[in-house]
C-alpha cells in the first residue's frame, strides 16, 4: 500500500465549484417568484374588481387637503369683502344724498316762512315738513271770499311771493282745496267738490302766471272729506276751509309691475 506523502507546508486545495452555491440560491429565488406570480394570477376575480374600482375612484376623486381648500377660497373671500365694501359705499352715498335733499327742503321751508311770516304769526298759515315734503296750509279766508273760488286782491301778492321761492327749485307742487261740511249748491258749484277743485285751480293758474312750469303743478279738490278739525264749531269749520300747497320731495319711486294671473 502506497504511503501518502506528508509535507510540513500543507498545500491548500482551491475549490472551483463555489458557483454552484450561488446558482442554487438563484434557482430558489426564481422558484419563489413564480410561486408568488401564480398565486397573484389566481386571485378572486370579484375581489379584484372591487379593488380595481376603489383604486379608480380614489384617483378620480383625490382627497383635498384643508390648506389648499383655504387657499382656493381666499379669492372668493376677497371678492365677497369687496362686494360688501361696495355696498356700504352705496348705502353711505344714498344717506348723504338724502341728507342733502333734506337740507334743501328745510331751507325752502325757511324761505316760505319768511315771506309768510305775518300770516304765520296770525295763525292763518301753517308750514310743516314730513317724508312727503313741505306742506304750506293757508286758511281760505286769506285767499277767497265765502263760497267763491276767485282769489282776492290781497292774496295775490302773498301767493306770488311763495311762487318766487318755488321758482328756484324743481320740486313738483300739489295744490289741494278743502272745505267744511256745509253744503253748497249754486250755478257755479253744485257741491263742495267743485268749489274745492276750483280754488286749487285758481292757485295753480296764479303760480303759472308767476313763472312756474305747468308740468310741475297738480290741482286736487277734496271737498269736506279731509277735515283737520271738527265741523261742529265755527272755529273748526273755519280751519277746515283751507288750501294746502304741498312741495313734494324728489325721492324716486320704485315701480313694480303686478303680474296678471289668468287663473
Amino acid at each position: 500500500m502506497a504511503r501518502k506523502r506528508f509535507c510540513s507546508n500543507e498545500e491548500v486545495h482551491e475549490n472551483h465549484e463555489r458557483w454552484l452555491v450561488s446558482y442554487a440560491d438563484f434557482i430558489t429565488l426564481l422558484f419563489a417568484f413564480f410561486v408568488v406570480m401564480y398565486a397573484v394570477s389566481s386571485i378572486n376575480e370579484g375581489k379584484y374588481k372591487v379593488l380595481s374600482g376603489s383604486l379608480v375612484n380614489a384617483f378620480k376623486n383625490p382627497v383635498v387637503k384643508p390648506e389648499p381648500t383655504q387657499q382656493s377660497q381666499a379669492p372668493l373671500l376677497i371678492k365677497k369683502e369687496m362686494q360688501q365694501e361696495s355696498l356700504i359705499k352705496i348705502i353711505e352715498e344714498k344717506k348723504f344724498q338724502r341728507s342733502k335733499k333734506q337740507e334743501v327742503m328745510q331751507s325752502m321751508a325757511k324761505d316760505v316762512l319768511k315771506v309768510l311770516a305775518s300770516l304765520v304769526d296770525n295763525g292763518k298759515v301753517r308750514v310743516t315738513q314730513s317724508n312727503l315734503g313741505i306742506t304750506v296750509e293757508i286758511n281760505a279766508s286769506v285767499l277767497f271770499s265765502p263760497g267763491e273760488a276767485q282769489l282776492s286782491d290781497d292774496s295775490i301778492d302773498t301767493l306770488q311771493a311763495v311762487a318766487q321761492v318755488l321758482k328756484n327749485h324743481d320740486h313738483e307742487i300739489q295744490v289741494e282745496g278743502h272745505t267744511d261740511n256745509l253744503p253748497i249748491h249754486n250755478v257755479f258749484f253744485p257741491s263742495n267738490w267743485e268749489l274745492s277743485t276750483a280754488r286749487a285751480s285758481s292757485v295753480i293758474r296764479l303760480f303759472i302766471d308767476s313763472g312756474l312750469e305747468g308740468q310741475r303743478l297738480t290741482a286736487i279738490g277734496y271737498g269736506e272729506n279731509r277735515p283737520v278739525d271738527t265741523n261742529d264749531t265755527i272755529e273748526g269749520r273755519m280751519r277746515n276751509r283751507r288750501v294746502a300747497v304741498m312741495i313734494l320731495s324728489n325721492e324716486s319711486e320704485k315701480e313694480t309691475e303686478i303680474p296678471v294671473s289668468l287663473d
Side-chain angles (χ1 to χ4, degrees), residues 180 229-241:
D180 57 26
D229 205 333
T230 179
N231 280 306
D232 297 333
T233 63
I234 297 177
E235 293 78 9
R237 289 194 296 270
M238 183 178 296
R239 189 182 173 199
N240 289 333
R241 296 192 296 268

Side-chain angles (χ1 to χ4, degrees), residues 161-174:
V162 174
Q164 294 305 314
V165 174
L166 301 180
K167 283 176 61 177
N168 299 325
H169 304 274
D170 58 354
H171 296 75
E172 293 186 2
I173 301 166
Q174 181 174 296

